[in-house]
Amino acid sequence: MARFYVTTPIYYVNDVPHIGHAYTTVAADTVARWRRLRGDDVMFLTGTDEHGQKVLRAAEKKGLTPQQHADDTHIRYKQLWERLGITHDHFLRTTDAAHQAFVQAQLQKLHDAGELYTAEYSGWYSTSAERFWAEEELVDGKCPDSGQPVEWITEKNWFFKMGAYQERLLAHIAANPDCIQPELRRNEVLGYLKKPLGDLCISRPKARMSWGIPLPFDPDYVTYVWFDALSNYLSALQGGREAFWPADYHIIGKDILTFHTVYWFSMLFAMGFEPPKRVYAHGWWMVEGQKMSKSLGNVVSPHMLVDSYGADAVRYFLLREIPFGGDGDFAHQAFLVRYNADLANDLGNLGHRVLATMLPRWMGGVVPESGPATDADLALAAVAKRATEGFDTNLSALQFRQALESLWELVRAGNKYVDSEEPWALNKRGDTARLGAVLRNVLEVWRIVGSHLACLWPTKSGEMLAKLGLTEPDLTPTLDRLVAGSPVSAGDPLFPRLLELPPAIQAALEAARAAAPPPEPKPKKTFKADKAAPAPSLENPVSTDPAAAPLAAPAAPAAPAAPAAPALIEYDDFAKVQLRTGKIVKAERHPKADRLLILQVDVGEPEPRQIVAGIAATHTPESLVGQSIVVVVNLKPAKLRGEISNGMLLAAGDSAALLSAGADVPPGTGIK
Ligand code: ME8
């Protein structure tokens, strides 16, 4: 059985968990669940980073000891992980006795091997940011992060001879190019390593900061919080799980790349361990174009999203919306659109039409017998094979978005298959054998999709399979697994269509708008790509060459000048618009508006959609009934003079000539 070890960062206890923390953890959970489904022996680690000055200060403010404070606050992460269905095998806290003992043992080992030395260092220290800054980094003589005053401090500290590992680091990355992903991040690290690598300060004097793991060989010092934190990935394996090292994936955000590559790999070399197989640094979530921050009041609470949409939809959105590795923007409208388009419509249609209507009406509500495979059946089976292979390859490489796109190809192929095989016509003709075979193939697609989603969906995958009477996922991608005669049930829709943003989200947006501070002057520094990127500092004292410290290029996008030419869109933008063929089944005048007609349009769903269209001046209701048209099916529903309009038809020019794919194309066919 293959072993698979995946980790998330351990999160600072002082933060309130937001969608950024949820993102990394859901990603790690999804790949952990996938490897388990594939039969691997999985170790999935997450936890909390509990030492350091900020925790100490927050505790003092509350009149608590730092330990009491961490005991209270780390629960926030545990609670959120439970709600999101996270299946970690271990939750590590850096205040755990076993972790502390491990860190001390490693420090002692490094000390005894001559890897550590003491030196005196002077610099500008910011208590709020808990770090030294170079003179040129200060803004108006103050800490660039917090705006607080800095002090000139000279102090003796313990240093780790990190600089000695520069050549070995470069050789390791050259021999194992996949060890830092995506490639862009590897290049950043290589850029960083072009300059001389300094040694790393691994202590803090107790007199200044006492909340840390004491150095075993010097009672006046505690361990630097990053030395403590990074060691968690190894300390968690003590007591029988040692064989999981080296980790298959450390999944992190791009902000902590240097720590997890340069610092961590050097530490591991010195401690006599191999580096992890892969560090994957994903991108950054912004919110409606802005950095998430408490002061802007735009921090997106994962709890609110789970309350409004359920954990499964939240997990789907986070991993489907942006490519893993790229930055992304969280917009509530985009969530709603994706929820309705992919989950309520595409997936909902696939199951609902067959399970709720056709099978109970025409087949006694059981899995029908299979029949001889037609070309259409073979084509569907080929999509199932291709889509599931694509899912596996992409998921194993943490390409979550592509994996889900691949699976949704199968969902859409299933819907198309229903359209093209026309079970309603087979029923009318009394061709029960073929009708049964068609419906059964759709159920097989449902099983395959539902089974694969077991790695993403803690609840809905089980619900999908339960509709077929299955209790376990069955990943086999062939269309011959279900037992004829076993009962199926429609149950509740998995993702009911939402006409507008859920009330809790609307209320939160209103409250944020009301409380929004006036626009801030442009900050001096844009968002930092990497928390490490130090100028010569206590962490990096030997590199006094100003070119020696910062990372090559900040990964945050620079604000581009507004383009004068017409805005071009990416394919992905176009792909957001879902077009389908429709057939107008009813048309009447709007009672309150002369320009508007109210149409009922069959777009391949169980019920026709109501669409209000401004075409009364050019079309009579009678002339429209029976016409084939093209409909945007994922437009946010709107009320037009009191009537809900759920979609939009496409029409050309002043005469509003209706676009059509031709009367032969059945309603509900997707247009690409
Ligand atoms: O850095 N977008 O902890 P932390 C995407 N304790 N991901 C985000 C994000 C955003 N806007 N905001 C946070 C620490 N993250 C250290 C780690 S590990 C040995 C020690 C995620 O609480 C992302 O994974 O600041 C990022 O790397 C992590 O949260 C930082 O969490």
Side-chain angles (χ1 to χ4, degrees), residues 147-187:
Q148 299 295 315
V150 288
E151 308 168 61
W152 184 256
I153 287 186
T154 299
E155 66 184 28
K156 193 186 97 178
N157 264 300
W158 283 90
F159 290 87
F160 159 50
K161 294 177 182 168
M162 184 165 75
Y165 289 97
Q166 183 156 11
E167 289 311 315
R168 189 157 164 199
L169 268 168
L170 285 166
H172 180 84
I173 299 170
N176 303 277
D178 278 352
C179 72
I180 304 170
Q181 297 183 22
E183 195 185 343
L184 162 78
R185 302 295 164 211
R186 180 174 75 241
N187 291 337

Side-chain angles (χ1 to χ4, degrees), residues 345-346 349-350 353-354 358 362 376 380 410-426 429 434 438-439 442 579-582 602-606 633 663-672:
N345 288 356
D346 284 345
N349 261 346
L350 181 69
R353 283 200 282 184
V354 173
M358 300 179 190
W362 304 333
L380 184 64
L410 178 57
V411 172
R412 295 199 186 101
N415 279 329
K416 247 192 182 157
Y417 175 83
V418 175
D419 296 337
S420 66
E421 296 311 295
E422 300 187 311
W424 45 89
L426 293 169
R429 282 209 297 277
R434 179 63 190 152
V438 166
L439 297 186
V442 181
L579 299 170
R580 262 195 238 155
T581 55
D602 175 3
V603 289
E605 293 168 353
V633 288
D664 292 339
V665 185
T669 307
I671 294 174
K672 290 182 181 164

Side-chain angles (χ1 to χ4, degrees), residues 148-354:
Q148 299 295 315
V150 288
E151 308 168 61
W152 184 256
I153 287 186
T154 299
E155 66 184 28
K156 193 186 97 178
N157 264 300
W158 283 90
F159 290 87
F160 159 50
K161 294 177 182 168
M162 184 165 75
Y165 289 97
Q166 183 156 11
E167 289 311 315
R168 189 157 164 199
L169 268 168
L170 285 166
H172 180 84
I173 299 170
N176 303 277
D178 278 352
C179 72
I180 304 170
Q181 297 183 22
E183 195 185 343
L184 162 78
R185 302 295 164 211
R186 180 174 75 241
N187 291 337
E188 274 184 25
V189 174
L190 289 174
Y192 186 88
L193 287 173
K194 280 207 176 107
K195 297 142 202 163
L197 181 64
D199 289 345
L200 181 70
C201 174
I202 51 98
S203 68
R204 294 291 182 265
K206 262 192 190 157
R208 176 158 69 73
M209 216 296 291
S210 60
W211 182 231
I213 301 175
L215 291 189
F217 44 82
D218 190 338
D220 293 337
Y221 291 87
V222 296
T223 315
Y224 169 46
V225 73
W226 272 99
F227 189 97
D228 167 358
L230 288 164
S231 305
N232 94 91
Y233 301 128
L234 269 177
S235 82
L237 301 181
Q238 295 177 96
R241 283 167 161 160
E242 291 81 357
F244 277 101
W245 194 259
D248 291 85
Y249 276 115
H250 287 328
I251 303 183
I252 58 168
K254 66 183 184 181
D255 57 326
I256 51 179
L257 178 66
T258 311
F259 292 109
H260 279 81
T261 52
V262 179
Y263 292 16
W264 181 222
F265 285 23
S266 310
M267 283 167 60
L268 288 165
F269 289 144
M271 297 191 295
F273 292 96
E274 276 178 69
K277 288 185 208 154
R278 298 169 209 92
V279 173
Y280 197 110
H282 64 65
W284 213 245
W285 279 98
M286 311 276 279
V287 172
E288 321 253 352
Q290 286 180 304
K291 189 184 166 185
M292 232 187 306
S293 85
K294 267 192 220 152
S295 59
L296 289 174
N298 65 352
V299 175
V300 180
S301 153
H303 287 291
M304 179 175 75
L305 295 178
V306 173
D307 289 343
S308 301
Y309 299 101
D312 304 85
V314 174
R315 291 173 61 121
Y316 178 80
F317 178 80
L318 289 177
L319 297 189
R320 173 62 185 80
E321 193 65 5
I322 59 172
F324 206 61
D327 293 336
D329 191 51
F330 184 94
H332 285 288
Q333 282 302 338
F335 194 119
L336 187 69
V337 167
R338 190 159 290 290
Y339 173 96
N340 276 331
D342 296 6
L343 303 181
N345 288 356
D346 284 345
L347 189 66
N349 261 346
L350 181 69
H352 199 74
R353 283 200 282 184
V354 173

Side-chain angles (χ1 to χ4, degrees), residues 355-422:
L355 286 163
T357 319
M358 300 179 190
L359 278 166
R361 265 195 217 157
W362 304 333
M363 291 272 121
V366 298
V367 176
E369 297 284 347
S370 53
T374 64
D375 285 351
D377 299 355
L378 294 175
L380 184 64
V383 177
K385 185 165 181 295
R386 199 176 60 232
T388 50
E389 282 168 2
F391 185 82
D392 183 25
T393 316
N394 281 305
L395 207 81
S396 300
L398 307 191
Q399 298 309 297
F400 301 100
R401 174 192 175 120
Q402 290 87 332
L404 292 170
E405 267 172 4
S406 189
L407 201 61
W408 252 251
E409 249 177 58
L410 178 57
V411 172
R412 295 199 186 101
N415 279 329
K416 247 192 182 157
Y417 175 83
V418 175
D419 296 337
S420 66
E421 296 311 295
E422 300 187 311

Side-chain angles (χ1 to χ4, degrees), residues 437-504:
V438 166
L439 297 186
R440 185 204 161 88
N441 284 336
V442 181
L443 293 183
E444 292 281 6
V445 168
W446 184 258
R447 169 190 59 78
I448 295 168
V449 172
S451 297
H452 281 74
L453 288 171
C455 66
L456 181 70
W457 285 348
T459 310
K460 298 291 175 185
S461 153
E463 283 180 25
M464 284 180 76
L465 298 177
K467 290 178 196 284
L468 307 181
L470 300 177
T471 50
E472 291 295 327
D474 173 357
L475 299 170
T476 319
T478 50
L479 306 181
D480 56 1
R481 304 287 294 174
L482 296 170
V483 178
S486 38
V488 301
S489 57
D492 293 332
L494 291 174
F495 298 99
R497 215 181 140 72
L498 295 173
L499 295 183
E500 55 187 7
L501 285 175

